[in-house]
Amino acid sequence: MKKVLYIFSFSLIFACTTASVKEKKLKTAFSLIEEAILIEAKSIMESSYYCTLITQDKNGQSKARVVEPFSPEKEYTVWMATNPNSRKVTELKNNSKTTLHYFDKSKLAYVSLMGDAYLVDDSILKTQKWKEGWEKFYPKRDNDYLLIKFVPHTLELISPSKKYLGDKITWKPHQVILRK
């Protein structure tokens, strides 16, 4: 009986884990317009040295901070660093739903990414992601430095120079669903 219960429990846990992984998997095919939007979005993200990380506090109040992200990865995953004692760490532990917002002043263009942010305290990744000059912010690298991995599920874009103006009535930006 214990063996059957163990197998059933393991199967249930495996099924739930597999389902949640499938829900967050990157779309494999994008339309031509979505591909063009993604190319323009990556250009804006790479030209914007800083972006704004928006989290929610325990009362549901949005909190915005300027952060120095790494360039977006192929799947638009974005890494950034923080102090493990910062308010954003506490907020992300309570609610992973997060927004990253990039603004390119020269183009009057922006990209907003909505998704989930995860705290990563892996020494190998922290070494790989380390930037020269961070010593002043993280003097004790092992203890003062934590990574945030942001995984977007939705991307929104406005870029007048590329004729991505959004909806004329509602001002809704162009949107690409990255993960479901």
Side-chain angles (χ1 to χ4, degrees):
M1 180 66 178
K2 284 185 180 180
K3 188 174 184 178
V4 171
L5 186 57
Y6 172 77
I7 292 170
F8 175 76
S9 298
F10 177 78
S11 300
L12 184 60
I13 291 168
F14 180 76
C16 291
T17 304
T18 305
S20 65
V21 169
K22 285 182 182 176
E23 288 177 5
K24 295 183 180 185
K25 189 174 182 180
L26 185 72
K27 275 179 48 177
T28 55
F30 295 99
S31 69
L32 291 176
I33 187 72
E34 288 175 324
E35 289 285 348
I37 289 168
L38 291 172
I39 290 168
E40 177 62 6
K42 191 165 270 194
S43 171
I44 292 166
M45 293 168 72
E46 289 175 344
S47 68
S48 303
Y49 189 80
Y50 296 106
C51 71
T52 304
L53 171 71
I54 304 163
T55 59
Q56 303 292 316
D57 71 10
K58 65 182 178 182
N59 299 317
Q61 178 63 54
S62 299
K63 300 289 183 168
R65 290 105 168 156
V66 174
V67 295
E68 180 184 358
F70 289 89
S71 291
E73 294 180 348
K74 184 178 177 185
E75 293 104 11
Y76 291 84
T77 298
V78 178
W79 291 85
M80 59 212 95
T82 191
N83 178 320
N85 299 312
S86 69
R87 293 176 301 150
K88 68 177 110 22
V89 168
T90 302
E91 292 161 3
L92 291 173
K93 285 178 181 177
N94 292 328
N95 185 352
S96 67
K97 299 293 181 216
T98 311
T99 298
L100 278 184
H101 183 77
Y102 295 79
F103 179 68
D104 184 330
K105 183 179 178 180
S106 66
K107 294 181 180 180
L108 297 177
Y110 75 82
V111 174
S112 289
L113 299 159
M114 285 66 69
D116 292 283
Y118 305 97
L119 302 168
V120 178
D121 193 13
D122 178 278
S123 59
I124 294 171
L125 281 172
K126 285 167 60 173
T127 299
Q128 291 172 351
K129 301 283 184 192
W130 183 257
K131 289 185 180 182
E132 291 301 316
W134 279 3
E135 307 81 30
K136 59 187 169 196
F137 301 108
Y138 311 111
K140 297 176 186 170
R141 186 191 306 193
D142 293 338
N143 298 324
D144 295 343
Y145 166 53
L146 191 62
L147 289 169
I148 298 172
K149 179 182 181 182
F150 176 78
V151 181
H153 54 74
T154 306
L155 180 146
E156 294 183 343
L157 168 86
I158 292 290
S159 182
S161 67
K162 298 291 184 176
K163 307 292 187 229
Y164 297 116
L165 303 172
D167 186 272
K168 291 178 184 178
I169 297 169
T170 66
W171 294 6
K172 180 181 177 182
H174 295 271
Q175 189 177 77
V176 177
I177 304 300
L178 299 168
R179 290 175 175 78
K180 289 189 177 190

